[in-house]
Amino acid sequence: MSMEQVRITIFDTTLRDGEQSPGCSMNLQEKLRVAHQLDRLGADVIEAGFPIASDGDFAAVKAIAAVIRRPIIAGLARACRPDIERAWEALKDAARPRIHVFLATSDIHLKYKLRITREECIAQAREAVAFAKSLCEDVEFSPEDATRTDPEFLCQVLEAVIEAGATTLNIPDTVGYTVPSEFGELIETIRGRVKGIENVTISAHCHNDLGMAVANTMAAITAGARQVECTINGIGERAGNASLEEIVMAMRVRHDRYPYETAINAEHLFPASQLLSEITGVPVQPNKAIIGRNAFAHEAGIHQDGMLKNPLTYEIMTPQSVGVPDSKLVLGKHSGRHALAIRCEQLGYQFDRRALDDIYRHFVRLADKIKKVEDHHLLELIRDTHKPAASATPLFEPLPTAIAAAAGASTSAPETPLPFPMASQTRTFGVPLPLAADRSHDQQQEDYLWGV
């Protein structure tokens, strides 16, 4: 198989590890809604929960397994018979069930949490995987805290579980401790030393405690991992998990560096993000990559000017490619005349140069006070700034759209806000926007004074 055809399995653990985030727990119906969205998104594996954790989690995993038929449905279990039996009871009606067994392997976990020796750890892992295999053909094993485990001992554990029947070996950076070069080297070490590794799938599960979960995941892919475990919005324990949307779009946008494919329908990324935020009540940070409120928003004048000429100047992907309706140009104190003039035209007003300068001076003073200038602020500013005498030639003329808007304003129906920028101005991604005929070089350059 050529590198261009390599397929990366997307294992989504939003409903298990993600739900373990403080404040992100979901009931059965909420989990079902998210599971249906993950199915539409194209996730290959949905880790539906931890069945032994509670009756509610068991019921949710069982319900998801019964109705979501395309992807693999996984349930988590500690390396002990009661957990594995409970997981199988929840999963047995799935079209494609997977039992995910985990056991800590680092010395710090063995000594202080499990209080067992390395030899006992290997024996427990082997027995647990063999028992899971007797119930379910598809068994994944995770050596918890793998990145703080002695590499030689880690390889011994992995060999033991391969012999016992594991089909996927997941390497977790449980506490977000590793860095990309180090994690890549660990995956390469496992590929080189573990007997039978060529017969199983290597997976990566990275946490974000040092802010490197996605970078570590991409390093693992480059080193040979063919499954990645991630969550919508990057939710998860502590600082969260590797973000599904960032991993997928890194491979899409930088296919020259990451020539891999996934089954993800990227236009469902933003809807999935919005649904999860609605259900959990946990908002996405505005500057979150791919799906944050500001991911496709521009305020600085130089950026707005470039966007109005050609979106390629400041956007490396289209908002529509991830399900975001359109880019946004935000009017604030860093905005330039070009963006202000375009928005005024969309509201139905066209200015000559002198009038625009006057409006712009008032606009900047207003933006210094209120941070973000909305349409109603701008309309009020226009009315207050320009009140020409009856005998004078108006400095601005209502455009045809303004006539229609004025007619609509006389009724009780609320106004429908116009998009900014106008959708018609960007016919196809990458096609330069036409410059206004009367915009001189000097006028264009003035926007470059307002932020980089």
Side-chain angles (χ1 to χ4, degrees), residues 320-431:
Q320 293 82 7
S321 70
V322 298
V324 176
D326 207 349
S327 303
K328 293 184 295 184
L329 299 192
V330 179
L331 288 180
K333 70 177 183 178
H334 302 109
S335 299
R337 287 172 175 79
H338 192 178
L340 178 63
I342 291 292
R343 190 57 189 149
C344 287
E345 289 181 11
Q346 291 169 352
L347 292 173
Y349 296 93
Q350 192 170 51
F351 299 92
D352 65 18
R353 176 57 190 263
R354 183 163 61 87
L356 180 61
D357 285 347
D358 198 17
I359 288 287
Y360 185 70
R361 284 192 295 272
H362 286 79
F363 161 78
V364 171
R365 285 198 292 270
L366 176 63
D368 260 334
K369 297 177 182 177
I370 66 173
K371 295 186 180 181
K372 181 179 177 181
V373 178
E374 303 285 1
D375 286 352
H376 68 277
H377 296 131
L378 188 54
L379 288 169
E380 185 176 349
L381 186 151
I382 291 170
R383 287 194 296 267
D384 291 346
T385 304
H386 286 282
K387 298 176 182 177
S391 61
T393 301
L395 295 176
F396 55 90
E397 296 287 345
L399 297 178
T401 52
I403 298 173
S410 63
T411 68
S412 58
E415 292 183 29
T416 301
L418 295 170
F420 184 32
M422 291 182 289
S424 60
Q425 290 191 323
T426 309
R427 296 182 297 278
T428 305
F429 187 66
V431 176

